[in-house]
Structure formats: structure tokens, C-alpha cells
Amino acid sequence: MSRLIVWRHGNTDWNATHRVQGQTDVALNAIGRQQAIDAAELLVTMRPDAIVSSDLHRAADTAAALAAHTGLAVGYDKRLRERYFGNWQGLTMAEVAELYPDQHYRWTHGQEVGGEVETLAELGARVSEGLLAAAALAPPGGTVVAVTHGAAARQGIGHLLEWPLEQLRTLRALQNCHWVELTHDRERGWQVAAYNVGPFSDRPVPPPV
């Protein structure tokens, strides 16, 4: 049985202020860097065989914390980037609601947003392709860690599992530096073994953007 760990990056100042990041390249803050170190100390016990990351710095620097424990080189895949949020990027969610009320309503209700925002279908297909490529790096029975982003993780996993959007919306957003553990074998295919696992389970959940 092979294992894929889908790991969200650590906290950023934009996470902390509920500002939409999307594909803007925002760095980890001091809290996020410590979260990455603490989470890496747990993930190293899973003995990963490979680490693949989004090329955005907040994900790449999170991956680097685990690489420092394992000695593994980090591979980078743009398909693991966060959802592209177009004109929303750089705005707080309060500003989005004020400037784009119709789009904000559709977003809060799990619908396609429209405008310049990447569709959920495109996001799911893109990220799941990246996750499958990462998983293929594992030897039989091995473990791969894929470092990505909140919205990207949820939609990519949902596409991989062939879940409808209604079912996917029942999952809470991943907390910063938390992960999903997926397993795969011939008989069962992909299954969720654990969700939202990490060292800071009592912290509030920043929006997955």
C-alpha cells in the first residue's frame, strides 16, 4: 500500500489578515516557519521517500523544513499552486464581498465564481494531475509528501477521489501546516486515511485562499 501526504503550507501574514493570496507569492511569517518545523518533526516519522512542492515560496519553504530532516531534495511542480483568484488577489475577504458581491455569494455557496477566478473543475484537474505525478515517485509501499495550498489541496483531493462538489463541501478547510493522508492499493484505489492532521489542532482555521 502506497501513501500520499497532502500538506498545506504554514501561516503567512496574508492568512492572518484574511487576505486572498491565490497565486501571489507570499512568504511564510515567523509563525508559519515554526509550524513547518513542528510539523516536519511529525512527518519525518513517516519516512517519506520523496517530497514535491508547489513552487510558491510559502509552500517551498514549508517543504524545506521537512527536507532538512530527511536529506531529500525537493521537487517543484506548478500544478500544485493555489487556485488563481484573479482580481481578488491582495484583497481581504471583506473587500471582496464589497467589490464583488455576486462573485462572493457564489464562492460562499460552493458555486463557480466566474470572472477571472480559476474554475473548480480546472483547479481540481490541475492539482490532481500534480498529486498523481508526485505519488508516482514512491516505490511500492512508499510515502510521498506533496506540499500545496488550502483550496488546491481540497479540490485536488476531491477530483482524485471523484467526489461531487456537494460532498467535498462537507470537509473543513485544512489548517496551516496540516495534512491529509491518502493511501492507495489495487483493490481499493485511493482512500482517505486521515484528514486535517497536524501539531496545532486547536488553532482557528484561516480561509483556504
Side-chain angles (χ1 to χ4, degrees):
M1 179 179 292
S2 300
R3 180 165 57 182
L4 176 64
I5 305 298
V6 183
W7 186 21
R8 187 188 179 191
H9 62 78
N11 192 261
T12 71
D13 288 341
W14 283 26
N15 283 147
T17 56
H18 303 292
R19 194 171 296 276
V20 181
Q21 294 178 119
Q23 295 188 7
T24 307
D25 202 2
V26 182
L28 296 177
N29 58 24
I31 292 174
R33 290 190 293 273
Q34 187 60 53
Q35 287 176 335
I37 292 169
D38 293 343
E41 291 176 352
L42 298 177
L43 288 170
V44 72
T45 64
M46 298 184 181
R47 299 184 179 182
D49 297 286
I51 306 169
V52 181
S53 175
S54 157
D55 62 334
L56 298 179
H57 278 91
R58 59 191 184 273
D61 290 346
T62 299
L66 180 58
H69 279 281
T70 63
L72 295 169
V74 179
Y76 301 99
D77 191 333
K78 292 182 179 180
R79 291 174 293 187
L80 298 179
R81 284 185 177 188
E82 181 57 290
R83 185 180 188 181
Y84 179 65
F85 279 91
N87 292 334
W88 290 25
Q89 293 182 176
L91 301 177
T92 65
M93 289 310 299
E95 291 168 336
V96 171
E98 180 180 354
L99 294 171
Y100 305 100
D102 293 340
Q103 291 183 0
H104 183 264
Y105 175 87
R106 290 194 291 271
W107 178 73
T108 57
H109 288 76
Q111 302 168 9
E112 295 291 6
V113 172
E116 297 182 352
V117 178
E118 184 176 13
T119 69
L120 293 171
E122 291 169 342
L123 175 65
R126 167 171 65 82
V127 177
S128 66
E129 286 179 2
L131 294 177
L132 286 171
L137 299 174
T143 297
V144 173
V145 176
V147 190
T148 184
H149 307 261
R154 183 161 62 176
Q155 204 65 35
I157 290 167
H159 193 274
L160 193 66
L161 298 171
E162 299 181 346
W163 285 3
L165 289 178
E166 294 77 11
Q167 182 176 358
L168 196 55
R169 277 177 53 79
T170 65
L171 293 177
R172 288 185 61 193
L174 281 178
Q175 294 177 260
N176 284 118
C177 255
H178 280 51
W179 59 85
V180 182
E181 179 182 343
L182 301 174
T183 58
H184 184 272
D185 62 35
R186 287 185 177 182
E187 289 75 27
R188 299 176 181 84
W190 288 102
Q191 292 187 304
V192 178
Y195 185 82
N196 227 349
V197 181
F200 302 104
S201 59
D202 60 338
R203 295 194 176 215
V205 181
V209 294

